Amino acid sequence: SFDFEWGIPAISPGIIEWTFRKNLRRIKRGKGGRRQSDDMHVIVGETGVPFTGSEADYARSLDRTLRAMEANDIDYSLWCYEANNNNVDGDLWNGEDLSLLSVDRGRGLQAAVRPWPYQY
């Protein structure tokens, strides 16, 4: 992760999570992150994380991304399914491998399935 305000990388888990939240808050506020009279409504049309490493790494990364969105009251849609996704070739598009569901199994569902409304 990278802190765009300070221009430095974030490397520890706690700092990475804080940086995700802070970067998204700056986007939502607009104009360089300075608070406006009303924050903008933001919807991220497609989000996800690449499936690299282990199943647990994928779930942690996805959960971190979604918690940062929810903490900033940002709506989002997940890139969740490519019918031909497989563990070797990914989504078969642009070298990406973001799908929650693949031919073989579901991935990261413990992070993506959020059966509760977000609490403010």
mmCIF file of all heavy atoms in Angstrom, residues 49-63 87 99-102 104-112:
data_model
loop_
_atom_site.group_PDB
_atom_site.id
_atom_site.type_symbol
_atom_site.label_atom_id
_atom_site.label_comp_id
_atom_site.label_asym_id
_atom_site.label_seq_id
_atom_site.Cartn_x
_atom_site.Cartn_y
_atom_site.Cartn_z
ATOM 1 N N VAL A 49 -9.522 -7.999 -5.205
ATOM 2 C CA VAL A 49 -8.088 -8.119 -4.992
ATOM 3 C C VAL A 49 -7.601 -9.308 -5.806
ATOM 4 O O VAL A 49 -8.336 -10.267 -6.012
ATOM 5 C CB VAL A 49 -7.726 -8.297 -3.494
ATOM 6 C CG1 VAL A 49 -8.107 -7.076 -2.689
ATOM 7 C CG2 VAL A 49 -8.368 -9.528 -2.909
ATOM 8 N N PRO A 50 -6.371 -9.241 -6.296
ATOM 9 C CA PRO A 50 -5.869 -10.366 -7.093
ATOM 10 C C PRO A 50 -5.642 -11.591 -6.221
ATOM 11 O O PRO A 50 -5.231 -11.481 -5.072
ATOM 12 C CB PRO A 50 -4.553 -9.844 -7.671
ATOM 13 C CG PRO A 50 -4.174 -8.695 -6.823
ATOM 14 C CD PRO A 50 -5.432 -8.144 -6.216
ATOM 15 N N PHE A 51 -5.956 -12.734 -6.775
ATOM 16 C CA PHE A 51 -5.757 -13.987 -6.057
ATOM 17 C C PHE A 51 -4.297 -14.393 -6.226
ATOM 18 O O PHE A 51 -3.906 -14.998 -7.216
ATOM 19 C CB PHE A 51 -6.674 -15.082 -6.571
ATOM 20 C CG PHE A 51 -6.632 -16.317 -5.727
ATOM 21 C CD1 PHE A 51 -7.344 -16.381 -4.545
ATOM 22 C CD2 PHE A 51 -5.861 -17.401 -6.086
ATOM 23 C CE1 PHE A 51 -7.302 -17.504 -3.736
ATOM 24 C CE2 PHE A 51 -5.805 -18.531 -5.287
ATOM 25 C CZ PHE A 51 -6.530 -18.584 -4.120
ATOM 26 N N THR A 52 -3.490 -13.999 -5.265
ATOM 27 C CA THR A 52 -2.082 -14.411 -5.234
ATOM 28 C C THR A 52 -1.817 -14.916 -3.828
ATOM 29 O O THR A 52 -2.395 -14.449 -2.860
ATOM 30 C CB THR A 52 -1.137 -13.232 -5.549
ATOM 31 O OG1 THR A 52 -1.405 -12.174 -4.634
ATOM 32 C CG2 THR A 52 -1.332 -12.736 -6.966
ATOM 33 N N GLY A 53 -0.947 -15.860 -3.707
ATOM 34 C CA GLY A 53 -0.653 -16.409 -2.385
ATOM 35 C C GLY A 53 -1.685 -17.432 -1.971
ATOM 36 O O GLY A 53 -2.283 -18.119 -2.787
ATOM 37 N N SER A 54 -1.929 -17.495 -0.680
ATOM 38 C CA SER A 54 -2.827 -18.516 -0.141
ATOM 39 C C SER A 54 -4.270 -18.006 -0.075
ATOM 40 O O SER A 54 -4.531 -16.815 -0.215
ATOM 41 C CB SER A 54 -2.371 -18.901 1.270
ATOM 42 O OG SER A 54 -2.604 -17.823 2.160
ATOM 43 N N GLU A 55 -5.157 -18.921 0.183
ATOM 44 C CA GLU A 55 -6.569 -18.579 0.386
ATOM 45 C C GLU A 55 -6.719 -17.599 1.545
ATOM 46 O O GLU A 55 -7.484 -16.643 1.482
ATOM 47 C CB GLU A 55 -7.366 -19.854 0.664
ATOM 48 C CG GLU A 55 -8.820 -19.637 0.977
ATOM 49 C CD GLU A 55 -9.674 -19.347 -0.252
ATOM 50 O OE1 GLU A 55 -9.305 -19.787 -1.332
ATOM 51 O OE2 GLU A 55 -10.705 -18.673 -0.084
ATOM 52 N N ALA A 56 -5.968 -17.815 2.618
ATOM 53 C CA ALA A 56 -6.047 -16.931 3.789
ATOM 54 C C ALA A 56 -5.545 -15.528 3.449
ATOM 55 O O ALA A 56 -6.134 -14.533 3.880
ATOM 56 C CB ALA A 56 -5.239 -17.514 4.947
ATOM 57 N N ASP A 57 -4.468 -15.417 2.655
ATOM 58 C CA ASP A 57 -3.956 -14.109 2.237
ATOM 59 C C ASP A 57 -4.996 -13.365 1.414
ATOM 60 O O ASP A 57 -5.204 -12.167 1.585
ATOM 61 C CB ASP A 57 -2.681 -14.250 1.404
ATOM 62 C CG ASP A 57 -1.490 -14.723 2.211
ATOM 63 O OD1 ASP A 57 -1.503 -14.565 3.447
ATOM 64 O OD2 ASP A 57 -0.544 -15.256 1.590
ATOM 65 N N TYR A 58 -5.633 -14.083 0.506
ATOM 66 C CA TYR A 58 -6.661 -13.494 -0.349
ATOM 67 C C TYR A 58 -7.824 -12.963 0.504
ATOM 68 O O TYR A 58 -8.269 -11.836 0.327
ATOM 69 C CB TYR A 58 -7.157 -14.536 -1.344
ATOM 70 C CG TYR A 58 -8.235 -14.053 -2.271
ATOM 71 C CD1 TYR A 58 -7.928 -13.247 -3.360
ATOM 72 C CD2 TYR A 58 -9.563 -14.409 -2.072
ATOM 73 C CE1 TYR A 58 -8.907 -12.810 -4.225
ATOM 74 C CE2 TYR A 58 -10.550 -13.973 -2.929
ATOM 75 C CZ TYR A 58 -10.220 -13.178 -4.007
ATOM 76 O OH TYR A 58 -11.209 -12.745 -4.861
ATOM 77 N N ALA A 59 -8.281 -13.769 1.446
ATOM 78 C CA ALA A 59 -9.399 -13.370 2.306
ATOM 79 C C ALA A 59 -9.037 -12.150 3.151
ATOM 80 O O ALA A 59 -9.835 -11.225 3.291
ATOM 81 C CB ALA A 59 -9.830 -14.535 3.195
ATOM 82 N N ARG A 60 -7.831 -12.122 3.709
ATOM 83 C CA ARG A 60 -7.395 -10.964 4.508
ATOM 84 C C ARG A 60 -7.328 -9.693 3.652
ATOM 85 O O ARG A 60 -7.746 -8.628 4.078
ATOM 86 C CB ARG A 60 -6.040 -11.230 5.161
ATOM 87 C CG ARG A 60 -6.132 -11.961 6.479
ATOM 88 C CD ARG A 60 -4.808 -11.942 7.228
ATOM 89 N NE ARG A 60 -3.727 -12.578 6.479
ATOM 90 C CZ ARG A 60 -3.459 -13.879 6.509
ATOM 91 N NH1 ARG A 60 -4.183 -14.683 7.254
ATOM 92 N NH2 ARG A 60 -2.462 -14.384 5.815
ATOM 93 N N SER A 61 -6.782 -9.818 2.452
ATOM 94 C CA SER A 61 -6.675 -8.658 1.564
ATOM 95 C C SER A 61 -8.042 -8.133 1.167
ATOM 96 O O SER A 61 -8.280 -6.920 1.167
ATOM 97 C CB SER A 61 -5.893 -9.024 0.299
ATOM 98 O OG SER A 61 -4.575 -9.357 0.602
ATOM 99 N N LEU A 62 -8.949 -9.037 0.827
ATOM 100 C CA LEU A 62 -10.293 -8.621 0.441
ATOM 101 C C LEU A 62 -11.025 -7.995 1.618
ATOM 102 O O LEU A 62 -11.665 -6.945 1.483
ATOM 103 C CB LEU A 62 -11.080 -9.811 -0.108
ATOM 104 C CG LEU A 62 -12.480 -9.491 -0.616
ATOM 105 C CD1 LEU A 62 -12.431 -8.461 -1.743
ATOM 106 C CD2 LEU A 62 -13.163 -10.769 -1.086
ATOM 107 N N ASP A 63 -10.909 -8.597 2.796
ATOM 108 C CA ASP A 63 -11.555 -8.046 3.983
ATOM 109 C C ASP A 63 -11.020 -6.649 4.300
ATOM 110 O O ASP A 63 -11.785 -5.741 4.629
ATOM 111 C CB ASP A 63 -11.352 -8.978 5.175
ATOM 112 C CG ASP A 63 -12.140 -8.524 6.389
ATOM 113 O OD1 ASP A 63 -13.374 -8.350 6.274
ATOM 114 O OD2 ASP A 63 -11.526 -8.329 7.448
ATOM 115 N N ASN A 87 -7.684 -21.995 -11.673
ATOM 116 C CA ASN A 87 -6.536 -21.713 -10.826
ATOM 117 C C ASN A 87 -5.240 -21.496 -11.608
ATOM 118 O O ASN A 87 -4.282 -20.966 -11.056
ATOM 119 C CB ASN A 87 -6.332 -22.838 -9.804
ATOM 120 C CG ASN A 87 -7.443 -22.859 -8.782
ATOM 121 O OD1 ASN A 87 -8.078 -21.850 -8.527
ATOM 122 N ND2 ASN A 87 -7.683 -24.013 -8.198
ATOM 123 N N SER A 99 -11.784 -13.110 -9.524
ATOM 124 C CA SER A 99 -13.082 -13.718 -9.278
ATOM 125 C C SER A 99 -13.173 -14.392 -7.912
ATOM 126 O O SER A 99 -12.246 -15.079 -7.480
ATOM 127 C CB SER A 99 -13.417 -14.742 -10.356
ATOM 128 O OG SER A 99 -13.607 -14.111 -11.592
ATOM 129 N N LEU A 100 -14.324 -14.191 -7.267
ATOM 130 C CA LEU A 100 -14.588 -14.889 -6.009
ATOM 131 C C LEU A 100 -14.937 -16.344 -6.263
ATOM 132 O O LEU A 100 -14.681 -17.208 -5.436
ATOM 133 C CB LEU A 100 -15.757 -14.239 -5.268
ATOM 134 C CG LEU A 100 -15.523 -12.832 -4.753
ATOM 135 C CD1 LEU A 100 -16.806 -12.273 -4.188
ATOM 136 C CD2 LEU A 100 -14.426 -12.811 -3.722
ATOM 137 N N LEU A 101 -15.530 -16.603 -7.403
ATOM 138 C CA LEU A 101 -15.916 -17.960 -7.750
ATOM 139 C C LEU A 101 -15.099 -18.415 -8.942
ATOM 140 O O LEU A 101 -14.856 -17.651 -9.871
ATOM 141 C CB LEU A 101 -17.400 -18.028 -8.095
ATOM 142 C CG LEU A 101 -18.346 -17.551 -7.001
ATOM 143 C CD1 LEU A 101 -19.777 -17.531 -7.502
ATOM 144 C CD2 LEU A 101 -18.227 -18.438 -5.772
ATOM 145 N N SER A 102 -14.670 -19.652 -8.905
ATOM 146 C CA SER A 102 -13.943 -20.218 -10.032
ATOM 147 C C SER A 102 -14.566 -21.563 -10.347
ATOM 148 O O SER A 102 -15.438 -22.041 -9.632
ATOM 149 C CB SER A 102 -12.456 -20.364 -9.701
ATOM 150 O OG SER A 102 -12.250 -21.396 -8.777
ATOM 151 N N ASP A 104 -13.291 -24.319 -9.961
ATOM 152 C CA ASP A 104 -12.911 -25.270 -8.910
ATOM 153 C C ASP A 104 -13.619 -25.049 -7.583
ATOM 154 O O ASP A 104 -13.956 -25.982 -6.879
ATOM 155 C CB ASP A 104 -11.399 -25.212 -8.675
ATOM 156 C CG ASP A 104 -10.625 -25.420 -9.955
ATOM 157 O OD1 ASP A 104 -10.580 -24.467 -10.756
ATOM 158 O OD2 ASP A 104 -10.088 -26.519 -10.148
ATOM 159 N N ARG A 105 -13.825 -23.755 -7.206
ATOM 160 C CA ARG A 105 -14.364 -23.484 -5.864
ATOM 161 C C ARG A 105 -14.624 -21.997 -5.667
ATOM 162 O O ARG A 105 -14.267 -21.181 -6.489
ATOM 163 C CB ARG A 105 -13.382 -23.956 -4.811
ATOM 164 C CG ARG A 105 -12.079 -23.137 -4.812
ATOM 165 C CD ARG A 105 -11.082 -23.703 -3.841
ATOM 166 N NE ARG A 105 -9.957 -22.840 -3.630
ATOM 167 C CZ ARG A 105 -8.932 -22.685 -4.444
ATOM 168 N NH1 ARG A 105 -8.923 -23.325 -5.581
ATOM 169 N NH2 ARG A 105 -7.928 -21.885 -4.141
ATOM 170 N N GLY A 106 -15.228 -21.672 -4.511
ATOM 171 C CA GLY A 106 -15.339 -20.284 -4.092
ATOM 172 C C GLY A 106 -14.056 -19.883 -3.386
ATOM 173 O O GLY A 106 -13.396 -20.709 -2.764
ATOM 174 N N ARG A 107 -13.686 -18.606 -3.524
ATOM 175 C CA ARG A 107 -12.448 -18.135 -2.900
ATOM 176 C C ARG A 107 -12.749 -16.850 -2.132
ATOM 177 O O ARG A 107 -13.408 -15.964 -2.631
ATOM 178 C CB ARG A 107 -11.391 -17.831 -3.957
ATOM 179 C CG ARG A 107 -11.252 -18.906 -4.971
ATOM 180 C CD ARG A 107 -10.189 -18.626 -5.981
ATOM 181 N NE ARG A 107 -10.425 -17.429 -6.779
ATOM 182 C CZ ARG A 107 -9.654 -17.060 -7.783
ATOM 183 N NH1 ARG A 107 -8.598 -17.769 -8.087
ATOM 184 N NH2 ARG A 107 -9.918 -15.985 -8.473
ATOM 185 N N GLY A 108 -12.248 -16.756 -0.928
ATOM 186 C CA GLY A 108 -12.404 -15.542 -0.143
ATOM 187 C C GLY A 108 -13.820 -15.254 0.303
ATOM 188 O O GLY A 108 -14.143 -14.143 0.686
ATOM 189 N N LEU A 109 -14.670 -16.259 0.270
ATOM 190 C CA LEU A 109 -16.077 -16.024 0.610
ATOM 191 C C LEU A 109 -16.253 -15.630 2.067
ATOM 192 O O LEU A 109 -17.179 -14.890 2.399
ATOM 193 C CB LEU A 109 -16.917 -17.264 0.276
ATOM 194 C CG LEU A 109 -16.953 -17.632 -1.211
ATOM 195 C CD1 LEU A 109 -17.798 -18.881 -1.420
ATOM 196 C CD2 LEU A 109 -17.467 -16.484 -2.048
ATOM 197 N N GLN A 110 -15.347 -16.082 2.943
ATOM 198 C CA GLN A 110 -15.451 -15.683 4.351
ATOM 199 C C GLN A 110 -15.263 -14.176 4.510
ATOM 200 O O GLN A 110 -15.747 -13.585 5.473
ATOM 201 C CB GLN A 110 -14.498 -16.472 5.242
ATOM 202 C CG GLN A 110 -13.031 -16.265 4.948
ATOM 203 C CD GLN A 110 -12.476 -17.185 3.880
ATOM 204 O OE1 GLN A 110 -13.145 -17.510 2.906
ATOM 205 N NE2 GLN A 110 -11.232 -17.603 4.042
ATOM 206 N N ALA A 111 -14.627 -13.519 3.564
ATOM 207 C CA ALA A 111 -14.477 -12.058 3.602
ATOM 208 C C ALA A 111 -15.589 -11.365 2.820
ATOM 209 O O ALA A 111 -16.060 -10.305 3.212
ATOM 210 C CB ALA A 111 -13.119 -11.651 3.037
ATOM 211 N N ALA A 112 -16.006 -11.957 1.718
ATOM 212 C CA ALA A 112 -16.959 -11.292 0.822
ATOM 213 C C ALA A 112 -18.403 -11.391 1.282
ATOM 214 O O ALA A 112 -19.184 -10.456 1.098
ATOM 215 C CB ALA A 112 -16.842 -11.875 -0.580
#
